[in-house]
């Protein structure tokens, strides 16, 4: 599972094959969304390359309000692994690796036909 955005309201759940999109003023909406086996393999490769286990726990980026970031709740080598990245990415190597991973996954989500059918975001956070 990957949650991201303001208050982690966007959620990709690969166990239930769903995606929940934060529509801001209009709440949230959930749709069926499945990543392909190749996409899942690409994500796993990126996680291996960056040594995702080294991100275990909370990682502090550049904190902003309202609270925003990325959270992964995954099974890694048969064990639960929770990774929480709070705030926006800085310029260090660890942040750059996390940026690459999140951009990869969000790109997969946003290119999916199920995502494209969802309503547009209305409003914004201050």
């Amino acid at each position: 599972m990957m949650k991201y955005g303001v208050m982690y309201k966007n959620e990709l759940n690969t166990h239930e094959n769903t995606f929940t999109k934060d529509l801001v003023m209009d709440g949230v909406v959930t749709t069926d969304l499945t990543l392909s086996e190749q996409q899942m393999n690409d994500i796993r490769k990126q996680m291996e390359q960056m040594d995702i286990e080294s991100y275990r726990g909370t990682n502090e980026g550049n904190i902003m309000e309202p609270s925003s970031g990325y959270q992964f709740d995954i099974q890694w080598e048969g064990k639960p692994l929770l990774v929480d990245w709070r705030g926006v990415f800085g310029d260090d190597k660890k942040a750059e690796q996390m940026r690459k991973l999140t951009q990869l996954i969000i790109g997969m989500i946003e290119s999916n036909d199920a995502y494209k059918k969802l309503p547009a975001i209305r409003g914004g956070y201050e």
Side-chain angles (χ1 to χ4, degrees):
M1 184 176 322
M2 175 186 167
K3 296 179 181 182
Y4 64 95
V6 174
M7 295 177 276
Y8 303 112
K9 288 186 178 181
N10 297 294
E11 177 184 291
L12 173 65
N13 186 325
T14 58
H15 294 288
E16 296 180 10
N17 293 318
T18 60
F19 178 75
T20 300
K21 180 180 180 182
D22 179 14
L23 301 176
V24 185
M25 291 179 67
D26 296 327
V28 297
V29 62
T30 300
T31 189
D32 293 333
L33 190 147
T34 303
L35 296 181
S36 70
E37 187 174 330
Q38 181 61 53
Q39 289 173 316
M40 294 295 287
N41 287 337
D42 290 346
I43 293 167
R44 182 177 238 330
K45 284 178 192 172
Q46 180 65 36
M47 287 180 171
E48 287 171 351
Q49 289 175 356
M50 66 188 284
D51 184 19
I52 192 71
E53 283 189 287
S54 70
Y55 292 76
R56 180 182 302 275
T58 301
N59 301 267
E60 296 285 340
N62 298 323
I63 303 301
M64 54 190 280
E65 292 296 327
S67 177
S68 180
Y70 304 85
Q71 188 176 78
F72 294 87
D73 187 357
I74 61 174
Q75 288 292 312
W76 191 254
E77 297 181 359
K79 298 176 184 172
L81 175 62
L82 181 65
V83 173
D84 189 13
W85 186 280
R86 296 185 182 168
V88 295
F89 300 116
D91 295 330
D92 60 287
K93 184 176 180 179
K94 194 170 185 179
E96 180 58 32
Q97 291 297 316
M98 182 59 77
R99 179 185 293 117
K100 282 177 66 175
L101 175 63
T102 59
Q103 287 176 340
L104 173 70
I105 298 170
I106 292 170
M108 290 174 181
I109 292 166
E110 291 180 354
S111 68
N112 190 291
D113 288 339
Y115 177 87
K116 291 176 184 177
K117 293 176 185 175
L118 294 174
I121 295 170
R122 195 169 67 86
Y125 293 102
E126 295 180 22

